[in-house]
Amino acid sequence: MKKKLILVSALAGLFLLGGCQSGSSATEEKVIRVGTEGTYAPFSYRDEQNELVGYDVEVAKAVAEKIGYQVEFVDAPWDSMLAAFDAEKSDVIFNQVSITDERKEKYDFTIPYSVSHASLITNEQDDTITSFADLKGKKSAQSLTSNYAVLAEEYGAELVSTDGFSKSAELVANGQADATLNDDVTYYDYINQQPDAPLKLVQVSDETTEVGAMLHKGNDELIEEINQALQELKDDGTLTELSTKYFDKDISK
């Protein structure tokens, strides 16, 4: 059954109070609830004014504007964000969710709006890990439900649970974990923000990972709308512009 998005009435309060005047009419605006972490710079995070910003946040806003929706962000750490989405407290997730066959069994995805490469990050003093293969028996700090956690386990690592890359990087820096896997763009941004962090990039995968917006199964009409909006944002250069703003490179293709 097709799920419905929230319809918010601008005069809802008046109706609830029984105070609607004769001749008044409610103006309805469509609202789309967007799940995102809010702690995953430069994709989704809060700035010094506590405003939600980032590449994924701006892509979500641009898409919503294209399809005529107001955005209501539902931000929480990765695992809580997914739990809220599964409980249908959000309609779509814009948060660098990789498109995988396993996820497609449970969720639907739009066309990609960014691509990345899996990267292996260690403490700069560690010479025992020189490739992904060296993760066997090592501790890798990861968000447990992320695709990078799955990848780390495939290489034989023991997982150390964290709520995002910043915490993972902190554990690697202070020696509580041997490594962490994440995308290369996130690592470069982190080092730009914290150049003194004792971390190094050991290996970058040649394979690309495609990222799309994730939706509940059965929302075919909404997916079609978002796909059309994303394609228009690609064609008119908006995604390239947003990529350059946050990364000084185009990660949209």
Side-chain angles (χ1 to χ4, degrees), residues 51-222:
E51 294 292 329
L52 200 58
V53 296
Y55 176 72
D56 285 55
V57 171
E58 292 208 42
V59 172
K61 288 180 177 180
V63 166
E65 183 177 356
K66 283 275 188 186
I67 62 178
Y69 284 87
Q70 295 294 318
V71 179
E72 176 188 321
F73 284 105
V74 182
D75 59 306
W78 174 267
D79 290 336
S80 299
M81 176 193 70
L82 290 180
F85 182 69
D86 287 338
E88 299 192 17
K89 294 180 180 179
S90 57
D91 305 301
V92 58
I93 287 181
F94 278 87
N95 196 83
Q96 291 298 295
V97 182
S98 302
I99 303 171
T100 66
D101 291 336
E102 182 179 3
R103 285 184 179 141
K104 286 193 290 186
E105 291 179 3
K106 185 176 181 180
Y107 309 107
D108 282 336
F109 285 87
T110 64
I111 61 174
Y113 63 87
S114 74
V115 296
S116 62
H117 300 79
S119 300
L120 172 59
I121 299 137
T122 69
N123 190 292
E124 64 181 8
Q125 300 298 322
D126 190 339
D127 296 324
T128 66
I129 301 175
T130 60
S131 70
F132 290 107
D134 293 330
L135 281 173
K136 186 174 182 179
K138 301 290 187 178
K139 293 181 179 180
S140 188
Q142 310 290 157
S143 297
L144 295 185
T145 53
S146 72
N147 59 303
Y148 294 111
V150 174
L151 184 60
E153 280 194 310
E154 288 177 353
Y155 280 108
E158 175 189 342
L159 299 186
V160 178
S161 177
T162 70
D163 61 1
F165 179 73
S166 294
K167 184 62 177 179
S168 296
E170 179 184 325
L171 294 185
V172 174
N174 64 28
Q176 291 180 269
D178 301 302
T180 185
L181 301 185
N182 212 290
D183 65 80
D184 52 343
V185 176
T186 298
Y187 169 76
Y188 288 129
D189 178 75
Y190 183 86
I191 290 300
N192 284 337
Q193 301 298 322
Q194 302 197 46
D196 295 329
L199 303 174
K200 63 181 177 181
L201 188 61
V202 173
Q203 187 177 11
V204 178
S205 172
D206 292 330
E207 297 182 6
T208 60
T209 299
E210 294 184 325
V211 167
M214 189 170 78
L215 295 93
H216 300 288
K217 287 284 189 182
N219 258 333
D220 297 340
E221 184 177 336
L222 181 59

Side-chain angles (χ1 to χ4, degrees), residues 55 66 111-115 210-211 227-240 250 252-253:
Y55 176 72
K66 283 275 188 186
I111 61 174
Y113 63 87
S114 74
V115 296
E210 294 184 325
V211 167
N227 278 339
Q228 182 176 341
L230 285 172
Q231 190 60 56
E232 291 176 3
L233 292 169
K234 286 184 179 184
D235 294 341
D236 67 15
T238 299
L239 292 188
T240 297
D250 190 355
S252 67
K253 55 187 177 181

